[in-house]
Amino acid sequence: MTTEEKYVFLLETAWCYIDWTMLDGEDRSGQGAEWFRSGVDKLLTQPVGVPVMVTQEYELRDKPNVICLFPTANVYLRAGYWLGWYGIHEVVRPKRDRYALEIDQITLTDWGRDCLTTLRRKRPFHHWNKNAFSHLLSDADEGYTDTIDTDINHFADAFRTLLNEPELLSLYPINASPPTGAYWLRVELPHHGVSRTLSLPAEYTLDDLHLQIQKAVNFDDDHLYPFFMNPRNPYNGEQYYDPRAVDGWTRGFSAADTTLAMLNLYEGQHFLYIFDFGDHWEFYLTVVRHLRDDTSGKARIVEKVGKLPKQYSGW
C-alpha cells in the first residue's frame, strides 16, 4: 500500500462514512456539515499562506478574511489540520473549554487548496457524507456544476491526477458492483426471547423486508415503521421510513426505494426496525450471512427461536 493510498483511504473513510455530529457530542448540531459547506468554501476564497481569522463573533461573519463558526466546530478544524489542509494557531487557555473556539487562525496550504477544491467540486456536497442529509438541503451545492460519478467505489478517481498516482486504488471495503445473492437477517425481539432468521434476495427493498418481518411474526401491518442503521443512536444516522410517512414529518429516505444491495450490508452488522410508534415494537436485526451465489430469488424463514408474542395482548 502506497502512502497516497493510505491517505486516500483515511480521507475516503472520513469524508464519506464518519458521522461528524458524533465527534462533537452534539448529536443534531450539524457543525461538521456546516464547517465543510460554508467554512471551507470561504477558506478557498483566500490566498494560500495568508492567515484567516476564525471567530465566534457573529457580527464579523461578512468580513472577507473571517470565518465565523460555533465552538463545537473545534474537532472539525483539527481534523482538517491533521489532513494537512491548513496550519492552525491555537488559543492559549489554562484548560480546554468545549464552549469556546480553541483555534483563532488557520492558514490554507497548497495541498489544502487542491484537495479541498477537488472534494467540494468533484464530490457533490449532498453526497459526500451519508449522514449529511440530516443537516443540510441538497441545494447546498448551488454553483458547483462539475459532474462526476459519485459512486463511493470510484472515490479515488478524483485524486489520481492530483496525487500523480494513475494506479491509485480505492481501498475502502465496498463492493465494486451492487451485491447479489441473498442475505440472512436475524430479526430479534430480545425482551421476549424470540427471533426469526430470514433469507431475502439482495434486490428486496426495506419495504419488502418490513412485509416479511410482519409475516414472520404474525403482525397485521397496520402501523407505520422506520429502519435505523445506527441502533445505538437511531435518530443520528441513516433512516429509512415507511413510504407513507416520507415527505411528511420524517427526515429520512423511503424504505420502498432502498434495496438491501444498496445498503452494502456486511456480516455482523446490526440495525433497528421499529413497528408502530405507539406500542413501539423494537426489532433488532443482525446480518448473519451474505450468500452471493444464492439465485433462488425467494424469501424464506431459515430459523425460528421462541414463541411469538401477540401483537395486541389484550385481545
Side-chain angles (χ1 to χ4, degrees):
M1 188 187 300
T2 66
T3 300
E4 289 81 7
E5 285 169 346
K6 292 177 182 178
Y7 183 89
V8 171
F9 174 80
L10 176 63
L11 184 61
E12 178 181 25
T13 304
W15 196 253
C16 301
Y17 289 97
I18 286 181
D19 187 346
W20 291 93
T21 60
M22 295 293 287
L23 298 182
D24 61 19
E26 300 286 345
D27 291 349
R28 300 189 181 185
S29 73
Q31 286 308 301
E34 180 61 24
W35 158 238
F36 285 115
R37 181 175 68 88
S38 62
V40 162
D41 282 358
K42 193 164 187 180
L43 178 63
L44 288 173
T45 67
Q46 307 302 310
V48 168
V50 175
V52 176
M53 177 187 290
V54 179
T55 181
Q56 297 170 238
E57 303 300 326
Y58 188 70
E59 63 273 14
L60 300 177
R61 68 189 183 282
D62 294 327
K63 291 186 176 294
N65 62 338
V66 174
I67 296 175
C68 183
L69 295 170
F70 288 102
T72 48
N74 281 320
V75 68
Y76 311 113
L77 289 169
R78 293 188 185 282
Y81 170 65
W82 295 330
L83 288 165
W85 294 337
Y86 43 75
I88 61 174
H89 180 268
E90 300 201 43
V91 179
V92 178
R93 291 195 178 92
K95 64 178 181 178
R96 289 198 168 187
D97 180 359
R98 64 169 299 188
Y99 297 106
L101 281 170
E102 298 169 350
I103 296 166
D104 62 0
Q105 200 175 82
I106 59 178
T107 305
L108 186 65
T109 63
D110 288 315
W111 170 247
R113 177 198 59 204
D114 296 341
C115 185
L116 288 169
T117 298
T118 298
L119 287 169
R120 289 295 285 124
R121 292 190 179 278
K122 298 295 186 181
R123 305 299 300 179
F125 189 79
H126 50 285
H127 291 296
W128 67 249
N129 188 284
K130 67 178 186 177
N131 300 295
F133 73 87
S134 298
H135 308 288
L136 296 167
L137 300 176
S138 60
D139 62 1
D141 271 322
E142 185 176 355
Y144 286 83
T145 57
D146 292 351
T147 60
I148 195 171
D149 184 354
T150 55
D151 184 339
I152 185 58
N153 299 291
H154 304 295
F155 185 89
D157 291 355
F159 296 92
R160 290 195 175 112
T161 300
L162 192 63
L163 291 168
N164 194 28
E165 287 284 338
E167 302 301 321
L168 186 71
L169 297 176
S170 182
L171 299 174
Y172 203 86
I174 293 296
N175 297 288
S177 58
T180 57
Y183 287 101
W184 284 17
L185 302 176
R186 184 168 60 246
V187 182
E188 298 179 80
L189 285 168
H191 296 300
H192 297 271
V194 171
S195 73
R196 295 292 184 265
T197 300
L198 310 178
S199 175
L200 300 173
E203 64 268 21
Y204 266 37
T205 67
L206 286 176
D207 193 51
D208 294 328
L209 172 57
H210 151 74
L211 294 174
Q212 292 300 320
I213 293 174
Q214 291 289 300
K215 181 179 178 181
V217 298
N218 295 326
F219 279 15
D220 290 339
D221 186 22
D222 51 355
H223 294 280
L224 301 177
Y225 69 87
F227 285 92
F228 298 108
M229 304 310 291
N230 181 357
R232 292 185 177 181
N233 196 343
Y235 290 97
N236 187 24
E238 291 174 277
Q239 306 164 36
Y240 301 91
Y241 285 84
D242 187 314
R244 295 168 292 180
V246 175
D247 296 328
W249 44 269
T250 71
R251 296 190 305 166
F253 301 111
S254 171
D257 297 332
T258 307
T259 66
L260 299 178
M262 292 167 60
L263 294 173
N264 282 302
L265 300 172
Y266 56 86
E267 293 182 359
Q269 183 175 356
H270 303 285
F271 57 105
L272 179 66
Y273 162 72
I274 294 177
F275 177 70
D276 185 349
F277 288 98
D279 287 346
H280 203 79
W281 288 92
E282 289 192 1
F283 295 82
Y284 291 85
L285 279 69
T286 302
V287 182
V288 179
R289 299 181 68 186
H290 179 202
L291 303 176
R292 292 174 175 81
D293 297 326
D294 186 330
T295 59
S296 65
K298 296 181 179 180
R300 59 192 176 95
I301 298 176
V302 296
E303 184 183 57
K304 298 180 180 180
V305 176
K307 182 179 179 181
L308 294 172
K310 292 183 178 180
Q311 182 178 356
Y312 301 109
S313 58
W315 290 22

